[in-house]
Amino acid sequence: MQTGRVIGSIVSTQKHDSLVGLKLMIVQYVDGNQEPLPSYEVAADTVSAGIGEYVLLTRGSSARHVFGDDEHTNSAVDCAIVGIIDSFDK
Amino acid sequence: MQTGRVIGSIVSTQKHDSLVGLKLMIVQYVDGNQEPLPSYEVAADTVSAGIGEYVLLTRGSSARHVFGDDEHTNSAVDCAIVGIIDSFDK
Amino acid sequence: MQTGRVIGSIVSTQKHDSLVGLKLMIVQYVDGNQEPLPSYEVAADTVSAGIGEYVLLTRGSSARHVFGDDEHTNSAVDCAIVGIIDSFDK
Amino acid sequence: MQTGRVIGSIVSTQKHDSLVGLKLMIVQYVDGNQEPLPSYEVAADTVSAGIGEYVLLTRGSSARHVFGDDEHTNSAVDCAIVGIIDSFDK
Amino acid sequence: MQTGRVIGSIVSTQKHDSLVGLKLMIVQYVDGNQEPLPSYEVAADTVSAGIGEYVLLTRGSSARHVFGDDEHTNSAVDCAIVGIIDSFDK
């Protein structure tokens, strides 16, 4: 999984059915030392993450399966926020 | 998911059956600040995106599953446009 | 999907069963302006692409599923040529 | 699979159900010569790896399937530690 | 698929069950001109590749499916050597 920081969200009215009702957050990747990286991702939120919080991201089929209930078997999600990070312990 | 801007389309007559009938758009990636990046993708459109519009891309099996009806169970798609972005809120 | 140009092929006698009988082409990636990139891929051909032709590549499980008939359910393919590009319209 | 070195762990109270009970380790990638690389991953541990140990990482659906028992069929994991490396023999 | 050259192997006693009995080779990527690249992978061998040989690598679910018999349905493998390259024809 990757780590990032929530910096905003996107609004999309015309979108795939499986994205309806999901919070689509803009996340800036951070490295292992919580330094911001020059790369971003739009991630579907599953843990009510807020702006500025450090979060755990999962990608690919794992993100799709996180939304893998009957309704979203063919979810268009390929990245999801799956945790709010309390601390990086090193 | 990633963000990009539609800059064109490709024409391919000789192609895999599962791509027949799909609009194959050329998308230039943009970062979290909507700045264009030097990387591109061909994405199958699902929301009638037009040239110049900012779009949401999904990739890998999530893109394949977006076309996952009976006819396209083995779709060759690995990237799809799944939303038109109205705004980036930061 | 990504775009590339066919520049050659590889010969491999000792290979996984699922690759037997497939044409394994060397493809150099090109960007959205058809400029060659310093990265390459070996792709299983599905559309009889020739040397020098611009092609559409799919990767990951989508490539595996393109060869997803009964015989190749566990195909070792993770990249396939799935279209010959007639034109890039921008 | 990739190689890395365990440098810490993250604590996340608010997380996806499928991550509950898993040890989430911060791993710094190392190259084939065990030199540290400037990239990191959070990986779910399956072999009780300790801080400072060199480990083998698997990613994507392979990591999800490593946690693929009945309870975790839709695991949010996309990276797992699947081996402690005794030696790199070259 | 990608191309690489076998430069060694790793030994891992404490590892996921699905990796037991597999030869885990260290492979250095090479480009389309067989020039070595500064990136490496650990790949499970399926064709008895030896040190110094040029090989064909598959990654992700395609690698997992190569080991997809009943015993290894949840294989931890995400990269496999699936061919020994006799020649690069360009």
Side-chain angles (χ1 to χ4, degrees), chain C residues 7-82:
Chain C
I7 62 167
S9 60
I10 65 155
V11 174
S12 172
T13 323
Q14 208 166 323
K15 57 181 177 268
H16 188 264
D17 294 346
S18 67
L19 301 179
V20 173
L22 302 186
K23 272 172 62 191
L24 301 175
M25 313 302 283
I26 304 173
V27 179
Q28 180 166 11
Y29 284 103
V30 298
D31 68 17
N33 304 309
Q34 292 126 277
E35 291 302 319
L37 295 169
S39 52
Y40 303 80
E41 193 84 45
V42 172
D45 181 29
T46 71
V47 285
S48 310
I51 304 286
E53 290 196 295
Y54 287 102
V55 292
L56 192 64
L57 298 176
T58 199
R59 295 176 297 180
S61 67
S62 305
R64 176 166 56 82
H65 276 258
V66 157
F67 292 92
D69 54 36
D70 293 342
E71 191 190 341
H72 292 92
T73 46
N74 288 327
S75 170
V77 169
D78 74 356
C79 185
I81 297 174
V82 290

Side-chain angles (χ1 to χ4, degrees), chain B residues 11-90:
Chain B
V11 174
S12 172
T13 322
Q14 208 166 321
K15 58 181 176 267
H16 189 265
D17 293 347
S18 67
L19 300 179
V20 173
L22 302 186
K23 273 172 62 190
L24 301 174
M25 313 302 283
I26 304 173
V27 179
Q28 180 166 10
Y29 284 103
V30 299
D31 66 17
N33 303 310
Q34 292 128 278
E35 291 302 320
L37 295 168
S39 52
Y40 303 80
E41 193 83 44
V42 172
D45 181 30
T46 70
V47 286
S48 310
I51 304 287
E53 290 196 296
Y54 286 101
V55 292
L56 191 65
L57 298 176
T58 198
R59 295 176 295 180
S61 67
S62 305
R64 177 166 55 81
H65 276 258
V66 157
F67 291 92
D69 54 36
D70 294 341
E71 192 190 340
H72 293 91
T73 46
N74 288 325
S75 170
V77 169
D78 75 355
C79 186
I81 298 174
V82 290
I84 295 175
I85 300 176
D86 307 325
S87 64
F88 294 75
D89 300 339
K90 293 197 293 179

Side-chain angles (χ1 to χ4, degrees), chain C residues 42, chain E residues 1-5 28-31 55-57 85 88:
Chain C
V42 172
Chain E
M1 287 70 72
Q2 283 294 318
T3 54
R5 195 156 188 227
Q28 180 166 12
Y29 284 103
V30 298
D31 66 18
V55 292
L56 191 65
L57 298 176
I85 300 176
F88 294 75

Side-chain angles (χ1 to χ4, degrees), chain A residues 69-83:
Chain A
D69 55 35
D70 294 342
E71 192 191 339
H72 294 92
T73 47
N74 288 326
S75 170
V77 169
D78 74 357
C79 186
I81 297 174
V82 290

Side-chain angles (χ1 to χ4, degrees), chain A residues 1-3 31-33 37 46-49 56-66 68-69 82-90, chain D residues 7-16 18-19 24 26 29 38 40-44 51 60-61 63-64 73-79:
Chain A
M1 286 70 73
Q2 282 295 318
T3 53
D31 67 17
N33 303 309
L37 295 168
T46 71
V47 286
S48 310
L56 191 65
L57 298 176
T58 197
R59 294 176 297 181
S61 66
S62 305
R64 177 166 55 82
H65 276 257
V66 158
D69 55 35
V82 290
I84 296 174
I85 299 176
D86 307 326
S87 65
F88 293 76
D89 301 338
K90 291 197 294 179
Chain D
I7 62 167
S9 60
I10 65 155
V11 174
S12 173
T13 323
Q14 208 166 322
K15 58 181 177 266
H16 188 265
S18 66
L19 300 179
L24 301 175
I26 305 173
Y29 283 103
Y40 302 80
E41 193 84 44
V42 172
I51 304 286
S61 67
R64 177 165 55 81
T73 46
N74 287 326
S75 169
V77 169
D78 75 356
C79 186

